[in-house]
Amino acid sequence: MEPNSKDSHPYVGMWVTEDGYIRHELLPNGRYDEARGNRQSAYQGSYTVTDNYIEYVDDTGFTADGEFIDGVLYHAGMVLYREE
């Protein structure tokens, strides 16, 4: 499922690691923008969500995945929380 508006998908928004170093912004148009430390837009690409499972494809073709469990995003060994 590709989200098309913030109201249509509960996972759209900013997700951050506890220390704030990694920041994933899941955009309502099915794109994401990942910042790392002071490096804004370190990675960008598209994502799709099926139930609680997310698949990422960055603009270079690299793929990754993750899972939302109890309001937390587990992705590539990282734990990200919704930014309030």
Side-chain angles (χ1 to χ4, degrees), residues 47-68:
Y47 71 93
T48 56
V49 174
T50 305
D51 298 320
N52 292 329
Y53 180 75
I54 185 168
E55 292 182 272
Y56 297 89
V57 180
D58 81 10
D59 290 341
T60 68
F62 179 80
T63 62
D65 62 358
E67 188 172 12
F68 296 92

Side-chain angles (χ1 to χ4, degrees), residues 5-22:
S5 79
K6 188 169 184 164
D7 296 330
S8 71
H9 203 283
Y11 300 132
V12 168
M14 185 67 75
W15 295 83
V16 299
T17 54
E18 190 170 37
D19 62 5
Y21 185 78
I22 307 288

Side-chain angles (χ1 to χ4, degrees), residues 65-83:
D65 62 358
E67 188 172 12
F68 296 92
I69 301 171
D70 295 328
V72 177
L73 171 56
Y74 296 88
H75 163 66
M78 296 179 280
V79 179
L80 295 101
Y81 303 91
R82 182 180 290 283
E83 185 174 75

